[in-house]
Amino acid sequence: MDQPATSSAERLSWEDVLSSASKAGSERLFLHRLLQFFCQENDLSGAALYTEIDESFERQASCGVGSFPVSIQDGESNSGERLELPGGLLIYTSTETSPADLSGPLALALSSTLQAAILRLRLKQESFVVNYRGVELEALYDVGLAIASMLNLEDLGEEALLRAVSLLDARRGALYLRQDSRYLLDHTLGGDAKSELPLDDPQIQLILEDRSLETQDILPGACYLMAVPIGSDGRPQGLLVVADKESRQGVGKFQEADRRTLSLFANQVAIALETAHLHREALEKERLERDLELAADIQRRLLPDVVPRLEGYELAGWSRPARHVGGDYYDLLSVRDRRVTAVLADVSGKGMAAALMVSTIHSALRLLVNQTEVGPDLIQHLNQHIAESSAPNLFITLFIAELDAPQNKVIYVNAGHNPALLIRASGEVEELGSGGLPVGLFEGGVFEAGSFVMECGDLMCVYSDGITESLSPSDEEFGLPRLKDLAVTLKNRPLGEIVAAVEHAVTEFAQGQSQGDDQTLVLLRRQSLNGSS
């Protein structure tokens, strides 16, 4: 507390001053006594000692009469004489006849004591900062744990902003997340905020450089803004903005320590956001995988599970999709009067779009073959249906054949598909070429049918281009000649063995290369006269 000027009856001696220094915890009393002694020896009417703190001077001791404010801003005028001291300031009032001796040992002692007081203040401040940083880091650790466990992106954004505002004692805040070339407002707290900011908005750079007074329109009505980027590995994910730091004196600016704290917290937010995004992607991937498995199961059910039995003939089919679901489709159907229809279709493209088209073909063909014999009319009806109901970039290559067993006659239509192979019992190979454009390519398409008679031991082999276009590590295609040679060599083997041999040959040829396209095979063979293969 301030001390009155000493009267002549209360004059101090050096012993009085020094005795106050020997008492524990009496540093402030010693400074007061020393200042009183200085005033007494220089016949001053009053004096005050100030230490410099930040941009102002704070009073540490005063005595006598005079107006000595508790705090003086740097450059502020005051009554009395003024003496600059290292790290402080002495203000005094003196009589005209008794100017203060500012060069003697007493003034030196006063200055030295003031320096000691300044050191104690700085140590106290540093101790406070260290303790505060410890509490701050502990708080950062706690809030980091809290947000790190949140996997819902909506809840995470709200919680992160609330924690940031609480951590910095801010009145307001806003969280922006990047979307393409802009930052979109995700959450706001304590007031309105600008709904979006272009990524190259100069205002962003201003607040990142702490030039906050020029950016008030981001948080309308705010006095002081501070923002830090949210991101990792140099990739911006968003912005964390806080405004108007609260203190005992009211609203004020944020300090550099606050910026460090917010930056550390923003790093934790970036990690939490990345974790939440990965979690969402994992859930979405899991959902898609379930959907694909379901679609694959549905598509497998479209393939025939029972091969039609027809005296004197054998049939077989096999398909291996390149993905969960494929664009290849085959079917083997028993129809009227000991007839069998075999079909192999290849939808352009892959994935779900092709799989959906496979379902369309399946239902349409099953309906048509029970009403119409295989020929141009059937394919024209199918073409019209596909062209009207599918996307313009989807089309289908298709080979369909109907066997009239009593006549041993096959009528077929090749709509833009690979030429099927007819391997005669003699080993001669005939190619059953195209008789029209792919189905669904154009409305009003024209198709032509072909026919042949199956002799004993003849084998018809229909395949998709996933077999012949399978690639080796050197980018060589498996090719039609290899398939022909394989079919000729194995033409008399059981159809199951032929299917297995083709599958094995294509797999071996690829040598571990990923399968680029769906692979499908349909076989029809007339047995020899003795009923054997």
Side-chain angles (χ1 to χ4, degrees), residues 463-472 475-487 501-510 519:
Y463 58 93
S464 66
D465 57 9
I467 293 176
T468 53
E469 294 178 4
S470 176
L471 295 176
S472 71
D475 283 343
E476 180 187 3
E477 288 189 351
F478 185 80
L480 185 57
R482 282 190 176 86
L483 182 60
K484 283 183 180 179
D485 292 342
L486 195 60
V502 171
E503 179 182 4
H504 176 76
V506 173
T507 303
E508 285 292 307
F509 183 79
Q519 298 170 353

Side-chain angles (χ1 to χ4, degrees), residues 304-370:
D305 54 355
V306 176
V307 176
R309 292 183 175 275
L310 192 61
E311 186 179 351
Y313 284 88
E314 302 170 87
L315 295 102
W318 164 80
S319 186
R320 179 167 62 183
R323 302 180 182 176
H324 280 81
V325 291
D328 278 7
Y329 166 73
Y330 80 90
D331 208 348
L332 300 168
L333 302 169
S334 294
V335 290
R336 60 206 166 275
D337 304 327
R338 295 189 64 226
R339 292 170 181 257
V340 169
T341 298
V343 59
L344 193 157
D346 185 356
V347 179
S348 62
K350 303 178 184 66
M352 291 300 296
L356 290 172
M357 185 57 68
V358 165
S359 298
T360 302
I361 300 167
H362 171 80
S363 57
L365 276 175
R366 288 248 168 172
L367 181 63
L368 287 171
V369 295
N370 284 320

Side-chain angles (χ1 to χ4, degrees), residues 407-478:
Q407 302 295 324
N408 297 315
K409 183 179 179 180
V410 174
I411 297 176
Y412 68 91
V413 177
N414 185 336
H417 196 73
N418 306 304
L421 302 178
L422 177 60
I423 297 96
R424 296 294 187 179
S426 63
E428 181 185 354
V429 179
E430 299 176 18
E431 294 187 6
L432 309 178
S434 177
L437 294 174
V439 172
L441 198 59
F442 299 107
E443 292 186 31
V446 177
F447 303 92
E448 295 180 358
S451 64
F452 60 90
V453 174
M454 289 204 80
E455 307 292 347
C456 294
D458 288 350
L459 172 69
M460 184 180 72
C461 174
V462 189
Y463 58 93
S464 66
D465 57 9
I467 293 176
T468 53
E469 294 178 4
S470 176
L471 295 176
S472 71
S474 62
D475 283 343
E476 180 187 3
E477 288 189 351
F478 185 80

